[in-house]
Amino acid sequence: MKFRTIAELVEIAESEQMPISEVMIRAEMEATGESRESIFRMMEQNLDVMEQAIHRGLTEDIRSHSGLTGGDAIKIQAYKNKVKLLLSGPTVLDAVSRATAVSEVNAAMGTIVATPTAGSCGILPGCVFTAANRLNSDRETMVRALFVGGAIGYIIANNACISGAAGGCQAEVGSATAMAAAAVVEMAGGTPSMSAQAVAIALKNMLGLVCDPVAGLVEAPCVKRNAMGAAIAMVAADMAMAGVESVIPPDEVVEAMYKIGRDMPVALKETALGGLAATPTGRALERRIFGGTPQ
Amino acid sequence: MKYRTVFDIIGPIMIGPSSSHTAGAARIGRAARALFGRKPKKVTITFYGSFAKTYRGHGTDVAVVGGVLDFDTFDRRIVDSLKIAREQGIEVIFRESEEVPDHPNTARILLEDEKGSTEVVGISIGGGKMEITELNGFSLNLSGNAPTLLILHRDRYGAIATVAGILARHQINIGYMQVSRKEKGSLALMTIETDQPVSEAVKAEIEAQEGITGVTVLS
């Protein structure tokens, strides 16, 4: 059950005729010696925390300490429920508002699950809970979806990187987006190979994304990038389910992401020295939040 | 493989906002506390790289201190850790270093009381994972994934064989082992990751051997 690449993961799943989630669960049992029940229970606990974060973000008036973020998840939900003709669609907006909810809770030092990181924690829950709502999925299917996301994240983390400091936002929000795309494909009954294509399509559209947090905080643009990551993941999943394939294979997209990350200047990797953080408004906000001390 | 289990990716459950700067930092603080082995009187925390640049906004300061107070990544008390430390009589000092570290998220933690001091350097490698890279001047590679024995000993023949023999007798398998020393014949440090947990009795048996000056078990 050992896999190092997405190609190997798909090959195992196909030859053993099992979904990606099952390959990940068995690999985890082998790696840790823990029982299936205990591994499943641990993942279910993660799902519970995600659900609570979504609930908080959509019902409470969440504000971060800096005041930069909060309140948008509720705004998006209200808009979705009020406006008859949406420009995108209710499912996409559901995923977007849920991802925003979790990300806002994170910015306000609330309890979340890092998936794969805290800065990108909204995307997987946003997509999994929205897909579940749409598809009437049971709890087990949702927990399994987290194992699918985990399998993809595990491969990206071990072959490339998942933190903004190491590889820019493409590594952080990009990985989460790819993980979510693969996860919802399995929830919708897609094949392992479709999940892999969804990874490639999603991650491609995150390539080059810099990590440029205003005032160095995990808030702007992070919360909105979580929102858009969720939207990209849902659309990438639909494209893969439609049979669309990535011209460049998933593992090569991951490798490209890694190399772009290595070539990226340090100013654009979470240091708050470039990008949006270095705009006049970004700098003004930084001074307002931290006073005269330069970050 | 840097990431061993699926829960390194889906997880940890934590207090926001940053897995590198908050959860990873809390885990470095907690490992430092475990290595010191008791509540310190004074803690000096030096931040390097990205930690130095952004620790206030990310809550890295409260997270490291939360870890030093032995709080887990999801413990809500992390938010108030500076206050709690003050109430417990722990003096906390933060320093920002301009030095360019090997890893962008690096923290050096010096824990002290009247009985002694321990200095730990940790890096936060992303997603809440951390590694301890230095202990009291010895460089080492500690993931925190498995039970780990840290053994300070005099650098002489037989020391490693003795420890390995004790572990074998107790049916404890070694998964990873590293020996570091500052110079030949002086004090050295064995880092041993094991597949099975190491009991107090086994720890005591190792401690009793000649040439062994200190044993810490991290699990």
Side-chain angles (χ1 to χ4, degrees), chain A residues 21 40 47 128 131-132 135-148 183-184 186-189:
Chain A
S21 55
F40 210 86
L47 190 75
V128 167
L135 304 163
N136 260 324
S137 312
D138 59 17
R139 208 78 183 163
E140 185 181 336
T141 306
M142 296 170 76
V143 176
R144 279 188 170 274
L146 299 188
F147 281 106
V148 179
V184 296
E186 184 172 308
M187 290 177 80

Side-chain angles (χ1 to χ4, degrees), chain A residues 54 73 76-77 88-103 115-116 119-131 169 172-185 198 201-203 205-206 209 221-239:
Chain A
I54 290 174
I76 299 163
Q77 265 300 324
S88 53
T91 311
V92 168
L93 280 189
D94 269 337
V96 165
S97 68
R98 287 189 174 106
T100 304
V102 177
S103 198
T115 54
S120 59
C121 67
I123 298 163
L124 189 63
C127 291
V128 167
F129 278 88
T130 300
C169 205
E172 191 153 345
V173 164
S175 298
T177 303
M179 288 159 58
V184 296
V185 165
I201 295 167
L203 190 55
N205 286 286
M206 290 285 172
L209 190 57
C222 321
V223 174
K224 289 185 187 80
R225 284 193 184 146
N226 271 261
M228 296 312 289
I232 287 177
M234 297 299 277
V235 176
D238 264 335
M239 286 171 72

Side-chain angles (χ1 to χ4, degrees), chain A residues 192-205:
Chain A
S193 159
M194 284 172 176
S195 276
Q197 292 303 319
V199 166
I201 295 167
L203 190 55
K204 269 179 180 185
N205 286 286

Side-chain angles (χ1 to χ4, degrees), chain A residues 38-150:
Chain A
S38 105
I39 290 168
F40 210 86
R41 209 169 38 243
M42 270 176 80
M43 196 57 97
E44 201 172 4
Q45 207 187 344
N46 285 331
L47 190 75
D48 291 341
V49 173
M50 291 175 185
E51 188 166 34
Q52 287 153 17
I54 290 174
H55 180 75
R56 273 197 72 190
L58 288 178
T59 55
E60 291 176 28
D61 184 26
I62 301 285
R63 300 284 156 179
S64 66
H65 293 304
S66 72
L68 282 186
T69 53
D72 284 344
I74 290 178
K75 217 178 267 178
I76 299 163
Q77 265 300 324
Y79 166 78
K80 190 209 82 179
N81 294 333
K82 189 177 67 191
V83 175
K84 281 207 185 79
L85 282 171
L86 297 167
L87 295 168
S88 53
T91 311
V92 168
L93 280 189
D94 269 337
V96 165
S97 68
R98 287 189 174 106
T100 304
V102 177
S103 198
E104 285 180 339
V105 166
N106 177 62
M109 287 196 94
T111 308
I112 51 93
V113 185
T115 54
T117 67
S120 59
C121 67
I123 298 163
L124 189 63
C127 291
V128 167
F129 278 88
T130 300
N133 213 18
R134 197 78 192 131
L135 304 163
N136 260 324
S137 312
D138 59 17
R139 208 78 183 163
E140 185 181 336
T141 306
M142 296 170 76
V143 176
R144 279 188 170 274
L146 299 188
F147 281 106
V148 179

Side-chain angles (χ1 to χ4, degrees), chain B residues 83-95:
Chain B
K83 201 176 107 220
I84 297 170
R86 222 173 12 250
E87 283 163 6
Q88 293 190 7
I90 302 172
E91 185 190 352
V92 180
I93 298 164
F94 292 105
R95 295 214 170 106

Side-chain angles (χ1 to χ4, degrees), chain A residues 4 24 28 31 39 42 46 49 106 109-114 116-118 146 154 157-158 160 216-218 270 290 295, chain B residues 1-7 9-19 21 53-54 56-58 62 76 126-127:
Chain A
R4 199 180 168 91
M24 185 69 246
E28 184 72 13
I39 290 168
M42 270 176 80
N46 285 331
V49 173
N106 177 62
M109 287 196 94
T111 308
I112 51 93
V113 185
T117 67
L146 299 188
Y154 173 84
N158 281 312
L217 302 171
V218 191
E270 217 195 317
F290 294 109
Q295 273 282 298
Chain B
M1 301 287 255
K2 286 179 286 182
Y3 297 80
R4 197 176 65 96
T5 121
V6 72
F7 296 105
I9 305 297
I10 312 294
I13 296 171
M14 58 167 283
I15 305 295
S18 166
S19 39
H21 292 73
K53 295 258 182 298
T54 66
R56 283 189 210 91
H58 283 114
V62 292
R76 293 246 22 118

